[in-house]
């Protein structure tokens, strides 16, 4: 009887065990190194529970006046002096002229900047930078107090 070779049927199988081993090693490496990766810059933000209210700031100032600059959600500027009516729709230059004039009358008046929660952060920074370039040395940021 002559030798007959049996034809084997070809099967295509992928051995996934080495892939699982590599995946588990990578997972362990990422888990070990994750605590050492910093995701940002450490900042020391003020707590709103200890922050002063606008009324407290007005009492601390000699004149009792304070200046509030507001940035609305569209980037528009508003200005209020000594809790008066808010003048809205001011340009950056008009706001700076008014703030400088008020600071010449009352040099110790605190300047507060408040922004809508939906306004881009860059608008607040541009306002703070413009105030700084105009010579306003100290600017406070307005927040809502924490609900107890």
């Amino acid at each position: 009887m002559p030798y007959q070779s049996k034809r084997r049927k070809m099967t295509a199988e992928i051995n996934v065990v080495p892939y699982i081993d590599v995946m588990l090693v990578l997972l362990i490496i990422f888990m070990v190194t994750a605590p050492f990766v910093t995701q940002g810059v450490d900042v020391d933000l003020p707590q709103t529970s200890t922050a002063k209210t606008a009324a407290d700031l007005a009492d601390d100032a000699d004149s009792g006046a304070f200046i509030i600059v507001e940035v609305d959600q569209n980037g528009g500027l508003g200005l209020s002096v000594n809790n008066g009516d808010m003048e809205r729709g001011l340009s950056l230059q008009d706001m700076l002229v008014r703030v400088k004039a008020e600071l010449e009358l009352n040099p110790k008046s605190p300047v507060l900047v408040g922004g809508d929660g939906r306004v881009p952060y860059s608008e607040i920074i541009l306002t703070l930078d413009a105030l700084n370039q105009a010579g306003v040395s100290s600017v406070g940021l307005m927040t809502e107090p924490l609900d107890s």
Side-chain angles (χ1 to χ4, degrees):
M1 187 164 195
Y3 177 72
Q4 293 182 351
S5 64
K6 294 184 181 178
R7 291 197 163 194
R8 292 188 178 184
K9 192 176 187 182
M10 299 270 301
T11 59
E13 293 180 9
I14 298 176
N15 190 359
V16 294
V17 173
Y19 297 115
I20 293 173
D21 290 343
V22 169
M23 183 181 66
L24 289 175
V25 169
L26 288 174
L27 179 66
I28 290 170
I29 290 171
F30 287 134
M31 288 173 55
V32 169
T33 59
F36 300 114
V37 177
T38 58
Q39 290 290 329
V41 179
D42 290 334
V43 290
D44 188 14
L45 296 175
Q47 299 295 316
T48 56
S49 60
T50 60
K52 293 183 179 181
T53 63
D56 292 337
L57 287 173
D59 291 339
D60 290 347
D62 292 338
S63 64
F66 53 95
I67 302 165
I68 297 176
V69 177
E70 288 188 355
V71 183
D72 65 15
Q73 68 180 0
N74 300 323
L77 296 172
L79 181 71
S80 174
V81 178
N82 201 16
N83 210 15
D85 292 335
M86 180 70 62
E87 292 180 34
R88 300 201 182 274
L90 295 173
S91 69
L92 187 61
Q93 293 303 321
D94 291 340
M95 183 270 302
L96 291 175
V97 168
R98 289 287 315 276
V99 169
K100 282 193 227 178
E102 289 298 328
L103 287 175
E104 285 179 9
L105 294 174
N106 299 314
K108 294 188 178 182
S109 295
V111 178
L112 305 173
V113 175
D116 190 286
R118 297 166 291 207
V119 70
Y121 186 63
S122 61
E123 295 291 331
I124 302 292
I125 295 300
L126 290 174
T127 304
L128 291 172
D129 187 46
L131 287 168
N132 187 21
Q133 289 178 0
V136 179
S137 60
S138 179
V139 178
L141 295 174
M142 295 174 46
T143 61
E144 290 288 331
L146 290 175
D147 293 331
S148 298

